[in-house]
Amino acid sequence: MTCLLCDKSLDYQPTWQHFLGIQQDTSACPTCLEKFERIDQVIEDDRLDSVHSLYAYNEAAREYLHQFKFMQDVALAQIFSPSLRSVLNDSKKIVVPIPMHPINKRKRTFSQVDALLEAAKIPYQSLLEKTTESVMGEKSRSERLAMTELFRVTADIDSNEAIYVLVDDIYTTGTTLRHAAEALKQRGVHRVEAVTLFRPMREK
Amino acid sequence: MSERHQLKQFLAGRIWLRHLMPFPEETVDEAIRQGEIHIEQGVTSKKTWHGTHYTCQRCHNENPTRFTVFTCAQCEAPCAYCRNCLNMGRVSCCSELLTWTGTLPAFPTQHRMNWQGNLTPSQQKATRELLDSTKQGVSHLLYAVCGSGKTEMLFQPIHYVLNEGKRVCLAAPRVDVILELLPRLTTAFPDTRIEALYGGAEVEHFDAQLILATTHQLYRFHEAFDVIFVDEADAFPYTADETLQRAVRKAAKPNAPIHFVTATPSSQLLAMNKKQGNISILARRYHGQPLPVPRSVALWNYDKQLKKKRIPAKLLRWTTERLDKQQPFLIFFHQIELMELAEPLFQKLDERICAVHAEHEDRKQRVQLLRQKEIPGLLTTTILERGITIPNVQVAVVGAEQTIFNKGALIQIGGRVGRSVPNTSGDFVLFHQGITHAMDEAKREIRKLNRTEVPQ
């Protein structure tokens, strides 16, 4: 096995824990993993009940997302499986990935959030559908804030009482997540939380 | 020039992803309808009793750990992609690779060679032999010691091939080598279309007849060249990566000669060329002086001493002597961590001493500072083992017994010493804790080369 990020071979020592399936396979070397800065920042918002961001969007994160999304290296989805599993382990909560527009998804050949969840073996429900083809990353802040409805709920909501957790790769202005939460709340959902892998940190 | 013609010049000899073609879709579609382009599935799969066997049709990677299978939204099926050549655009089961099958573009047959340098008798002999092999279409190994003027010996054979209207590639495993070769070749062949290809460089001249490329870039060529020269054929990663060796073979036309140029050929390369090719040995540097023979000095527990923030006594003496005599020096380490531990200790002797390794962006600049005597010496990893010339440089290897310092690496490191006139020799010392076979073999090889008779 080699590290998915730097291609150096991983030290592999057989252990009983590994044999019994308690210890998970690692897919990246410690040197590469160290470059990601864990922040576990939780913020509250008027429409989103809480947003939990796992890592700072630093240079390593930027390179990671570039290789994962734009170079289409699906294998990189595994790298954050353990950390995603650790925060999305509550089986009572319903995990809802932020979707891509079908045309964009076909172009990229995969949806990055679905790939992250699948790699982590986290069950999820695709309740949302993206209604516009436009991509947030290409918009200015004011354009983003002025956007009207971005998502539509496609399936029936089973239970209004359950907690829904939206998952996205990066939190920037929060527009995407707020729109998605709004769409769910209009269908009567009481509590919508969110988990994102990265979040840019303000310079102090 | 019509777009069709440009398409032909671009794609002839290349193997390219359809969705990354630098042409409008209609132009490509039209050529496909005309039967001038062949479409190939990017990754092919074969079912075997123990699973599915994948092959990347671009880089010919077959290693199962270098493929990832995922549910593809485009082909709506499990789809495998190759991680070996990912950074050139992803190749998967549902992507299409294009190759040109139409008529081949013609290249000019009149090329001016602007180079009046003098070759020594032994260089002349080697050049003649290389040219003969090129004419016969036989692969040739040019085994020439460090500092013997290898690049200059390639000019005549390259000129010959260009004048035949044929396409030539000069490949090397490392981008540093390519960037160093480019200005020398553009000066030597001022009227020839030359292009350098390496990671991050875009294809600009579709009609380049002489291509300088890292061996990785040859993944994207298919039966393109009439002659390929592989410079520094023993350097990492070329020898370690079988797909790179296949890439070179694949980029050459069938039966086209592939010439290797190196100062430290592997036994495999020597054996291959003994069996089915020619070898020229150039045992003397262009100034005619023998290669510096390394001396071994025991330096026990150097790692422990460095960890205790102390420079081992013999190494300290060697370094202060260089500082006193104002001789530039290079000290090679086997490990970045150990080198970084040593860096502040050496800076106490002279604060201008600094370390370089592969991730330092400004390593070129630091080498330049050493050349200009702004810096008295550098600590380095094997990254500086080849391709650099610093007048009157003195070299020490710390931990010469480490496996990273194999015979080839030691000979290359020694090749930094005494390259230019008037400082045709210098100190080449191996600090070790136990002599290895590699050290013995390197020393034996250097002595053997120094004993070889050379034509006068």
Side-chain angles (χ1 to χ4, degrees):
Chain A
M1 277 296 284
T2 57
C3 169
L4 285 175
L5 293 169
C6 68
D7 276 340
K8 289 205 184 93
S9 69
L10 295 171
D11 290 336
Y12 172 72
Q13 274 155 351
T15 60
W16 281 108
Q17 284 193 333
H18 186 269
F19 181 71
L20 295 170
I22 302 167
Q23 189 188 338
Q24 294 296 325
D25 274 330
T26 47
S27 45
C29 69
T31 334
C32 287
L33 288 178
E34 241 172 48
K35 292 179 186 158
F36 297 104
E37 187 195 338
R38 184 88 189 224
I39 49 171
D40 280 316
Q41 194 188 50
V42 183
I43 54 159
E44 280 170 26
D45 188 282
D46 47 350
R47 270 174 284 184
L48 279 161
D49 296 294
S50 89
V51 184
H52 183 170
S53 302
L54 296 178
Y55 294 91
Y57 185 62
N58 56 11
E59 189 54 29
R62 202 187 59 76
E63 275 171 29
Y64 168 83
L65 282 186
H66 177 81
Q67 197 179 337
F68 180 41
K69 285 161 70 174
F70 298 101
M71 304 296 287
Q72 308 169 315
D73 196 357
V74 194
L76 296 192
Q78 311 165 31
I79 287 176
F80 293 107
S81 294
S83 29
L84 281 173
R85 257 199 304 270
S86 68
V87 293
L88 294 169
N89 56 355
D90 191 341
S91 57
K92 288 193 202 80
K93 295 183 180 175
I94 297 168
V95 176
V96 183
I98 294 292
M100 284 173 87
H101 191 272
I103 293 176
N104 292 336
K105 183 176 166 184
R106 239 180 100 82
K107 269 191 210 149
R108 185 167 289 167
T109 71
F110 66 99
S111 154
Q112 68 268 17
V113 185
D114 293 4
L116 285 170
L117 293 171
E118 270 160 34
K121 298 194 177 70
I122 297 169
Y124 62 87
Q125 293 183 13
S126 299
L127 298 178
L128 297 170
E129 187 188 70
K130 185 104 182 259
T131 51
T132 67
E133 242 185 275
S134 61
V135 183
M136 277 297 155
E138 294 161 1
K139 290 198 185 330
S140 70
R141 189 183 163 88
S142 52
E143 276 177 317
R144 289 183 199 197
L145 296 177
M147 303 229 12
T148 49
E149 194 184 59
L150 288 176
F151 297 101
R152 201 171 38 224
V153 181
T154 51
D156 288 333
I157 303 288
D158 297 334
S159 145
N160 288 342
E161 305 306 316
I163 298 171
Y164 287 76
V165 187
L166 296 166
V167 180
D168 203 357
D169 51 354
I170 181 164
Y171 178 103
T172 340
T173 55
T175 310
T176 308
L177 287 172
R178 253 177 254 129
H179 275 272
E182 190 67 18
L184 285 172
K185 286 200 171 173
Q186 274 175 8
R187 289 299 206 75
V189 172
H190 291 309
R191 189 174 168 83
V192 181
E193 296 175 355
V195 169
T196 75
L197 204 47
F198 300 114
R199 176 177 184 146
M201 300 299 289
R202 291 264 158 75
E203 292 292 327
K204 275 167 208 152
Chain B
M1 204 186 293
S2 77
E3 212 156 42
R4 279 292 295 285
H5 189 68
Q6 285 198 333
L7 175 66
K8 171 174 159 170
Q9 280 186 324
F10 174 78
L11 196 59
R14 285 198 162 88
I15 178 162
W16 215 261
L17 274 169
R18 186 172 183 170
H19 64 267
L20 295 182
M21 285 289 284
F23 291 94
E25 266 176 53
E26 304 83 63
T27 318
V28 177
D29 291 346
E30 177 59 25
I32 292 170
R33 263 197 301 281
Q34 304 267 337
E36 290 178 316
I37 289 179
H38 172 72
I39 305 178
E40 208 169 351
Q41 197 184 349
V43 172
T44 54
S45 59
K46 210 169 69 190
K47 289 262 187 293
T48 58
W49 61 271
H50 54 80
T52 317
H53 182 86
Y54 295 105
T55 310
C56 172
Q57 292 304 313
R58 181 168 63 186
C59 71
H60 291 205
N61 162 36
E62 296 182 348
N63 179 351
T65 65
R66 304 289 279 156
F67 286 98
T68 297
V69 184
F70 72 107
T71 321
C72 176
Q74 193 168 306
C75 60
E76 289 165 348
C79 184
Y81 72 92
C82 171
R83 292 196 80 234
N84 192 51
C85 56
L86 184 80
N87 53 9
M88 300 178 169
R90 195 183 72 176
V91 174
S92 66
C93 288
C94 61
S95 54
E96 292 174 318
L97 289 167
L98 307 183
T99 46
W100 184 258
T101 50
T103 53
L104 295 177
F107 290 103
T109 52
Q110 297 267 308
H111 295 267
R112 190 159 59 92
M113 183 162 74
N114 175 25
W115 179 74
Q116 276 94 31
N118 286 322
L119 294 176
T120 64
S122 38
Q123 279 181 313
Q124 277 170 19
K125 181 168 171 282
T127 308
R128 218 167 32 241
E129 287 168 354
L130 185 58
L131 187 59
D132 286 344
S133 298
T134 309
K135 286 178 184 167
Q136 292 162 15
V138 183
S139 139
H140 195 105
L141 169 65
L142 180 58
Y143 174 10
V145 297
C146 307
S148 57
K150 288 191 283 280
T151 314
E152 286 72 23
M153 286 188 266
L154 303 181
F155 288 169
Q156 277 175 20
I158 289 176
H159 192 214
Y160 166 79
V161 185
L162 290 174
N163 277 341
E164 294 273 292
K166 289 176 173 174
R167 228 172 174 191
V168 194
C169 175
L170 182 51
R174 293 192 185 176
V175 59
D176 298 297
V177 179
I178 296 299
L179 292 175
E180 203 240 357
L181 287 173
L182 181 65
R184 291 162 80 180
L185 281 150
T186 40
T187 334
F189 300 104
D191 304 333
T192 308
R193 265 275 202 244
I194 304 181
E195 177 149 73
L197 297 174
Y198 46 89
E202 289 288 321
V203 184
E204 278 168 10
H205 304 300
F206 294 170
D207 55 343
Q209 192 178 356
L210 171 57
I211 286 181
L212 309 184
T214 55
T215 43
H216 273 103
Q217 292 297 318
L218 296 186
Y219 286 148
R220 302 211 265 198
F221 285 91
H222 178 78
E223 299 187 0
F225 301 106
D226 300 279
V227 180
I228 297 184
F229 296 89
V230 185
D231 198 2
E232 306 278 8
D234 58 308
F236 184 82
Y238 182 75
T239 38
D241 190 344
E242 210 193 317
T243 64
L244 289 178
Q245 296 167 29
R246 268 185 245 156
V248 172
R249 185 69 266 169
K250 178 178 77 98
K253 287 186 182 163
N255 301 320
I258 298 173
H259 302 321
F260 296 95
V261 185
T262 172
T264 45
S266 63
S267 45
Q268 187 196 351
L269 201 58
L270 274 169
M272 196 179 82
N273 278 280
K274 260 181 199 152
K275 210 161 48 178
Q276 43 182 309
N278 298 323
I279 302 181
S280 301
I281 299 177
L282 205 79
R284 202 65 92 233
R285 293 178 148 183
Y286 75 95
H287 53 56
Q289 296 304 311
L291 292 164
V293 180
R295 58 189 183 93
S296 306
V297 175
L299 193 73
W300 302 104
N301 294 328
Y302 57 85
D303 45 347
K304 277 188 193 151
Q305 298 201 50
L306 286 172
K307 273 174 200 151
K308 284 184 188 159
K309 303 203 183 308
R310 202 164 58 210
I311 301 177
K314 286 176 189 165
L315 181 58
L316 184 67
R317 215 176 307 140
W318 187 85
T319 315
T320 43
E321 199 183 323
R322 301 286 83 80
L323 288 171
D324 290 346
K325 291 185 179 169
Q326 298 198 334
Q327 293 168 324
F329 63 89
L330 289 172
I331 302 177
F332 285 83
F333 287 85
H334 72 283
Q335 221 183 20
I336 295 176
E337 289 78 21
L338 193 69
M339 180 175 79
E340 285 179 340
L341 212 63
E343 194 180 1
L345 308 178
F346 279 95
Q347 280 168 346
K348 275 183 207 156
L349 300 175
D350 189 314
E351 59 186 17
R352 294 169 301 167
I353 297 176
C354 58
V356 286
H357 61 81
E359 280 172 30
H360 282 153
E361 300 273 319
D362 55 347
R363 64 170 189 264
K364 276 227 165 87
Q365 206 182 333
R366 291 188 180 174
V367 172
Q368 190 54 35
L369 287 175
L370 180 64
R371 229 172 258 148
Q372 294 162 352
K373 303 208 166 182
E374 306 265 324
I375 290 179
L378 288 175
L379 314 183
T380 173
T381 59
T382 51
I383 189 80
L384 294 184
E385 78 179 25
R386 59 182 79 222
I388 60 157
T389 304
I390 297 157
N392 199 23
V393 74
Q394 316 287 311
V395 169
V397 180
V398 175
E401 78 288 350
Q402 297 290 337
T403 43
I404 189 168
F405 295 117
N406 56 23
K407 180 182 113 186
L410 290 173
I411 294 175
Q412 288 285 0
I413 290 171
R416 301 308 105 212
V417 184
R419 284 169 82 90
S420 41
V421 186
N423 309 103
T424 54
S425 68
D427 197 15
F428 175 28
V429 54
L430 305 177
F431 290 111
H432 63 86
Q433 36 185 359
I435 291 175
T436 57
H437 286 299
M439 289 162 69
D440 275 339
E441 279 169 21
K443 208 182 273 187
R444 201 177 306 133
E445 178 111 13
I446 290 171
R447 288 219 175 97
K448 192 174 129 199
L449 287 166
N450 284 345
R451 276 200 307 271
T452 313
E453 290 289 322
V454 289
Q456 291 304 312

